[in-house]
Amino acid sequence: MSLQSGVRRTLRQALVSTRQHLHHQTTPKQTAPKQTAPKQISPKQTSPTSSSPVRFFSSSPRTPLRDKEGTSGKEGQYARTDHTIQVSYPGPASTQLPPTDNLVKGIGHGGVPTLPTFSLQGKVGVVTGGARGLGLVMGQGMVVSGASLAIVDLNKEEATKQASLILETFKRDNPSSDQIPTITAHYADVSDPSSVQACIQEIISAHGKIDGLVTSAGFTENFEAVSYPFDRVRKLWGVNVDGTWLFATEVAKHLIERGAKGSMVFIGSMSGAIVNVPQPQAPYNAAKAAVRHMASSLAVEWAKYGVRVNVISPGYMLTALTQKILDDNPDLKEKWTSLIPQGKMGKPEDLMGPVTFLLSDASSYVTGADLRVDGGYTCT
């Protein structure tokens, strides 16, 4: 008998044996019912009538647990939105905004060796929402890396003030530099096409060109979806989504007409990939998801022109505005940080390196990417 036929015979015998075993299992002998003792509960299980503490998390999702009233316990019950949390963003030009800390201290001293391709020397960058918060600090990082800067904001007075402070800091930290950046301030309502077009033309007149764009203008609010005023939803989408689209397409037109390469960095959020808890913010999350996919789509469409488009998705960042929110909701910081693997919120200056990398030639083969700066939040 050949080896091959022997193997086939062995397999047939195993199959017959398995079928007999299954038949035996499914067709038990008919016998008289026996009196059995009550089933004993394993120490790993909890009886519905037991006085033991109720466990709301089970190793098996197929075995629903019961609380003392007999209703099913909810696994992951703490990962829910909390309708009591309602934080309204006061708006870019509002006097309700907390004072900014202006510039990051200790950043900008020259003479530190680094890879030459990280330099933004000779480039002109535009940052929307650049008068405060993350946009302001990223703009400072761009200047430290050698770029000239156009700060765009709804509050031009604050933008002008910050432009002056950034320039003063650069001169102080680089007293021997013979290349002083040009830093200008510009007004724009990012959700209005005509305002955006006028702003872009003003920037080009002042700087002669645009090489990089950072779309940092945006805001969030916390309302339950069923009670969210629709006019506010439209405003939120207008700033976060329409504003990103309008600036990106206008800068792209400029780059394509010049036949120049360029880099755009959309400021998204980890909220575009996960659902934040416990605060309800569905429109913001959806808006940031739209920004992320917009970047991917434009990266593919504009690759042939040498225009790269990427996203930075920050996690919870401790800006002046965030600090005000946490002061009003003291339990919120603990809930947020408990879900961050690094155990802390980010600092605005944590975005300086990522934005410089994506705007510079060091990332010349990176486009359509989503760089998450969230302390590991979205990994869990």
Side-chain angles (χ1 to χ4, degrees):
M1 181 174 63
S2 68
L3 178 61
Q4 186 176 8
S5 60
V7 170
R8 285 199 299 267
R9 180 179 178 184
T10 301
L11 289 174
R12 283 196 299 270
Q13 290 175 342
L15 181 61
V16 170
S17 176
T18 301
R19 286 174 176 172
Q20 290 174 344
H21 175 72
L22 291 174
H23 179 73
H24 175 74
Q25 293 280 59
T26 55
T27 55
K29 293 180 181 180
Q30 299 297 320
T31 57
K34 295 181 179 180
Q35 297 294 326
T36 58
K39 185 178 179 180
Q40 297 298 314
I41 297 174
S42 165
K44 293 184 179 181
Q45 295 175 319
T46 304
S47 168
T49 58
S50 171
S51 59
S52 302
V54 177
R55 296 186 304 154
F56 288 96
F57 295 89
S58 167
S59 60
S60 173
R62 296 181 180 180
T63 310
L65 298 172
R66 303 278 177 178
D67 61 18
K68 293 181 179 179
E69 285 74 35
T71 58
S72 295
K74 298 290 185 180
E75 295 187 8
Q77 65 171 338
Y78 298 109
R80 299 177 183 172
T81 55
D82 185 346
H83 71 279
T84 63
I85 298 175
Q86 293 190 4
V87 179
S88 297
Y89 187 95
S94 173
T95 56
Q96 299 177 42
L97 279 171
T100 179
D101 291 331
N102 297 326
L103 306 178
V104 178
K105 305 300 186 294
I107 299 292
H109 297 282
V112 179
T114 189
L115 195 66
T117 51
F118 280 93
S119 173
L120 299 178
Q121 196 75 48
K123 297 182 184 295
V124 176
V126 177
V127 56
T128 67
R132 291 180 182 271
L134 303 181
L136 171 60
V137 175
M138 286 186 287
Q140 183 187 357
M142 292 157 67
V143 171
V144 168
S145 301
S148 288
L149 177 67
I151 299 175
V152 177
D153 204 276
L154 195 59
N155 188 336
K156 187 177 179 181
E157 181 181 353
E158 183 68 18
T160 301
K161 171 188 171 184
Q162 296 303 333
S164 177
L165 287 170
I166 292 175
L167 186 59
E168 288 176 13
T169 301
F170 181 89
K171 290 179 178 179
R172 185 187 68 239
D173 292 344
N174 302 274
S176 60
S177 177
D178 57 355
Q179 295 181 323
I180 305 301
T182 301
I183 306 175
T184 57
H186 308 269
Y187 166 85
D189 176 352
V190 299
S191 63
D192 177 34
S194 60
S195 180
V196 172
Q197 291 166 7
C199 179
I200 293 294
Q201 291 307 310
E202 185 178 276
I203 293 171
I204 294 172
S205 297
H207 292 269
K209 64 172 184 173
I210 296 172
D211 299 299
L213 169 68
V214 179
T215 60
S216 186
F219 70 94
T220 183
E221 296 178 307
N222 303 132
F223 291 100
E224 283 192 302
V226 294
S227 59
Y228 211 127
F230 189 60
D231 61 329
R232 298 184 72 94
V233 174
R234 279 183 165 168
K235 180 62 177 177
L236 185 147
W237 274 71
V239 173
N240 288 283
V241 181
D242 296 349
T244 300
W245 171 265
L246 290 171
F247 262 91
T249 52
E250 287 300 316
V251 171
K253 290 175 188 176
H254 166 70
L255 291 168
I256 293 169
E257 288 171 2
R258 277 175 54 207
K261 294 181 179 180
S263 178
M264 301 185 193
V265 180
F266 295 173
I267 304 305
S269 171
M270 67 175 186
S271 305
I274 54 91
V275 177
N276 303 69
V277 291
Q279 69 277 20
Q281 52 184 54
Y284 177 79
N285 297 351
K288 289 304 185 181
V291 167
R292 182 181 63 170
H293 200 59
M294 185 194 303
S296 300
S297 302
L298 295 179
V300 172
E301 186 173 333
W302 294 341
K304 62 185 177 183
Y305 300 114
V307 177
R308 297 183 295 110
V309 187
N310 292 289
V311 177
I312 291 177
S313 291
Y316 290 119
M317 311 300 288
L318 199 54
T319 63
L321 177 60
T322 308
Q323 186 61 61
K324 181 179 183 300
I325 292 172
L326 295 177
D327 289 344
D328 295 338
N329 300 269
D331 293 337
L332 203 53
K333 184 175 181 180
E334 183 179 353
K335 291 177 181 177
W336 285 355
T337 55
S338 69
L339 298 171
I340 303 173
Q342 287 195 354
K344 61 181 181 179
M345 295 177 63
K347 298 175 294 184
E349 52 265 43
D350 291 330
L351 299 178
M352 283 180 161
V355 77
T356 300
F357 167 68
L358 291 176
L359 288 174
S360 72
D361 292 338
S363 61
S364 60
Y365 199 56
V366 179
T367 194
D370 180 10
L371 180 53
R372 309 237 177 117
V373 186
D374 62 1
Y377 189 104
T378 54
C379 293
T380 60

